[in-house]
Amino acid sequence: AAAASATESGAAAAAAHQRPSLTASAEAAAAAAAGGDDDDDGADDDGEEVSCASPLCPWVGSAVVYENVHQHGCVFLQLGAWLLAKEDEVTQLKAQVEQLTATVASLMHGPMQHRDLAGHNDCVVALAIIDRWLYSGSTDGTIIVWNLDEFAELREQTEEVGPTFALEVFEEENLLFSAHVGTIKVWDLDTLRHRASLMGHKGPVKCMLLLRSGRRLFTAGADCAIKTWDLENGACVATITGAHEGEIRALSFYETDADSAYLISTGDDGAIRVWNDELKLVSHVADAHQGPVRAFTQFDEMLVSGGEDAYIRCWRINDDGEIELGFAVAALTPVTCLAPANYRGDAVVVSGHGDGAIKIWTNAMQTCTMVLMGHRDAVRTLLVSRDLFFSGAYDGNVRVWWPSEEHLHFGDE
């Protein structure tokens, strides 16, 4: 019995002095750091045997004696709480330094020229391009075709339009799709003559995704529904009602190495949802961002999301359709739009922000290497074609960006 008691005492002592895991919750550390005398008699508790809750304390969870522990707290407890509280600040400060360096480099070397296309009098929310023709849609109720050789407005459509929220080009059929309140309209690319309307949504249609191979169009918006349209006959062939608990902001399509294909949706509820080809929910992340997920795109084998929480997060989808977080980068200001690009032979992602900035991310999304400033308000949409960047913003301007040392040309020239 004595030997057993000694063994148990030795095990308890070893456990009491074992180095703890650093994954103890910040809440526990902060609560313990606050301390406080819980005794009714208000005693000073000098020399009282207590259990420390600091994740950094080598005696965490063990009963040890601290002098005036409720008044001063364990030094490890205070240090742990301070480090946990400063972690986000250090991450943000590091991102600020990196992106400030990129901004200074952009200004010093002048990597981009730009030209403004002024014609809209409200937010430019959508862009599409075919050769030298740029199409822009705005909440002012117009769609404008621009001749990029002359930086001039070629044609404007105001009749039967209404506020526009998204554009998609179906070049093979010479069609332009535009998203509006409750309706998707189909236009002739050359003349902007109205050809047809797809009706069925119960609110603004905020995003579209065209699958040319299957001749299908996916649409989603403020009614929290995702619809699939057969472009052979213009019929709605499937609807997911209540796909999100808030407005749906972006749709994307992803194919895995196992020949599986998934539709991905994001929205104001902060969630990312993955759907199979039968539009059945396969997986989801409920709190992908702290707040609305405004943008989503594909970058190599990664999926990239941007949110109002000023973070860009990179994800992967396995062969079973399960979505997993890879890493996150601090973007400093709310992310409003994203676009993949191949810039001078490098795969990059371009992000638009609430402060009017445009940022270019390289090194597998780890580094911001260029910051472009120019818009007076939040950037709402981005489009990349070759080494040309196009941006539309709440200031009503469309801006064309290109490398300073290159001559701007379009089409087959």
Side-chain angles (χ1 to χ4, degrees), residues 242-384:
H244 282 259
E245 296 178 1
E247 186 172 294
I248 300 174
R249 294 284 181 169
L251 295 171
S252 185
F253 194 72
Y254 183 79
E255 294 181 295
T256 68
D257 294 336
D259 295 328
S260 298
Y262 299 100
L263 176 70
I264 304 163
S265 59
T266 65
D268 282 358
D269 56 0
I272 298 175
R273 300 183 185 274
V274 181
W275 314 85
N276 63 16
D277 54 3
E278 298 178 350
L279 296 185
K280 303 294 185 183
L281 184 64
V282 177
S283 64
H284 77 283
V285 180
D287 298 313
H289 285 264
Q290 295 180 5
V293 184
R294 295 296 193 190
F296 196 86
T297 192
Q298 186 171 342
F299 173 70
D300 288 342
E301 296 182 355
M302 291 188 301
L303 298 167
V304 184
S305 62
E308 283 195 359
D309 58 0
Y311 272 88
I312 296 175
R313 302 186 188 277
C314 296
W315 311 82
R316 294 189 184 276
I317 294 182
N318 61 27
D319 292 340
D320 296 324
E322 297 175 347
I323 187 167
E324 303 166 345
L325 177 64
F327 59 90
V329 293
L332 302 183
T333 55
V335 182
T336 52
C337 48
L338 292 165
N342 191 302
Y343 181 65
R344 295 182 170 179
D346 294 329
V348 303
V349 168
V350 186
S351 60
H353 296 265
D355 61 352
I358 297 170
K359 300 178 182 180
I360 301 175
W361 303 83
T362 60
N363 189 26
M365 282 299 303
Q366 299 281 354
T367 308
C368 175
T369 56
M370 194 183 302
V371 180
L372 307 175
M373 301 298 296
H375 284 290
R376 300 186 305 275
D377 208 336
V379 179
R380 179 60 178 80
T381 183
L382 288 168
L383 176 67
V384 181

Side-chain angles (χ1 to χ4, degrees), residues 43-392:
D44 192 51
D45 295 327
D46 288 356
E48 180 185 357
E49 190 177 79
V50 297
S51 177
C52 180
S54 169
L56 298 180
C57 180
W59 301 284
V60 61
S62 62
V64 292
V65 175
Y66 296 108
E67 292 186 358
N68 299 321
V69 65
H70 288 299
Q71 181 179 352
H72 302 292
C74 171
V75 65
F76 292 103
L77 189 61
Q78 295 177 4
L79 176 61
W82 184 85
L83 289 174
L84 288 167
K86 296 296 181 182
E87 182 178 3
D88 285 344
E89 294 182 25
V90 172
T91 300
Q92 291 284 339
L93 182 59
K94 180 181 177 182
Q96 287 177 3
V97 171
E98 290 176 349
Q99 293 176 39
L100 180 60
T101 302
T103 304
V104 172
S106 301
L107 293 173
M108 288 179 63
H109 301 294
M112 286 284 189
Q113 298 184 63
H114 68 267
R115 184 75 175 266
D116 286 339
L117 305 177
H120 291 290
N121 55 34
D122 204 349
C123 177
V124 179
V125 296
L127 297 169
I129 188 171
I130 296 292
D131 292 330
R132 67 195 67 197
W133 315 120
L134 179 70
Y135 299 79
S136 61
S138 169
T139 53
D140 64 3
T142 65
I143 297 174
I144 297 178
V145 186
W146 305 90
N147 181 342
L148 294 177
D149 282 333
E150 302 175 1
F151 287 108
E153 180 179 319
L154 176 68
R155 187 175 295 109
E156 179 177 340
Q157 177 61 274
T158 58
E159 297 180 4
E160 304 181 87
V161 179
T164 303
F165 303 104
L167 293 174
E168 278 281 357
V169 168
F170 195 179
E171 186 176 5
E172 293 83 350
E173 297 294 331
N174 204 43
L175 297 176
L176 174 70
F177 296 89
S178 59
H180 308 276
V181 178
T183 307
I184 299 94
K185 295 185 178 180
V186 187
W187 311 85
D188 184 278
L189 265 179
D190 296 329
T191 64
L192 280 189
R193 182 174 60 86
H194 184 215
R195 298 270 296 270
S197 293
L198 310 177
M199 304 182 67
H201 280 283
K202 298 178 180 178
V205 181
K206 291 301 184 74
C207 52
M208 297 189 292
L209 176 65
L210 178 64
L211 295 187
R212 293 163 177 80
S213 58
R215 299 182 66 84
R216 289 184 295 171
L217 179 70
F218 295 95
T219 59
D223 60 1
C224 307
I226 300 175
K227 290 183 178 291
T228 307
W229 306 86
D230 184 345
L231 297 183
E232 294 288 348
N233 54 24
C236 179
V237 295
T239 300
I240 307 173
T241 58
H244 282 259
E245 296 178 1
E247 186 172 294
I248 300 174
R249 294 284 181 169
L251 295 171
S252 185
F253 194 72
Y254 183 79
E255 294 181 295
T256 68
D257 294 336
D259 295 328
S260 298
Y262 299 100
L263 176 70
I264 304 163
S265 59
T266 65
D268 282 358
D269 56 0
I272 298 175
R273 300 183 185 274
V274 181
W275 314 85
N276 63 16
D277 54 3
E278 298 178 350
L279 296 185
K280 303 294 185 183
L281 184 64
V282 177
S283 64
H284 77 283
V285 180
D287 298 313
H289 285 264
Q290 295 180 5
V293 184
R294 295 296 193 190
F296 196 86
T297 192
Q298 186 171 342
F299 173 70
D300 288 342
E301 296 182 355
M302 291 188 301
L303 298 167
V304 184
S305 62
E308 283 195 359
D309 58 0
Y311 272 88
I312 296 175
R313 302 186 188 277
C314 296
W315 311 82
R316 294 189 184 276
I317 294 182
N318 61 27
D319 292 340
D320 296 324
E322 297 175 347
I323 187 167
E324 303 166 345
L325 177 64
F327 59 90
V329 293
L332 302 183
T333 55
V335 182
T336 52
C337 48
L338 292 165
N342 191 302
Y343 181 65
R344 295 182 170 179
D346 294 329
V348 303
V349 168
V350 186
S351 60
H353 296 265
D355 61 352
I358 297 170
K359 300 178 182 180
I360 301 175
W361 303 83
T362 60
N363 189 26
M365 282 299 303
Q366 299 281 354
T367 308
C368 175
T369 56
M370 194 183 302
V371 180
L372 307 175
M373 301 298 296
H375 284 290
R376 300 186 305 275
D377 208 336
V379 179
R380 179 60 178 80
T381 183
L382 288 168
L383 176 67
V384 181
S385 178
R386 298 186 291 272
D387 282 347
L388 304 174
F389 298 171
F390 302 87
S391 57

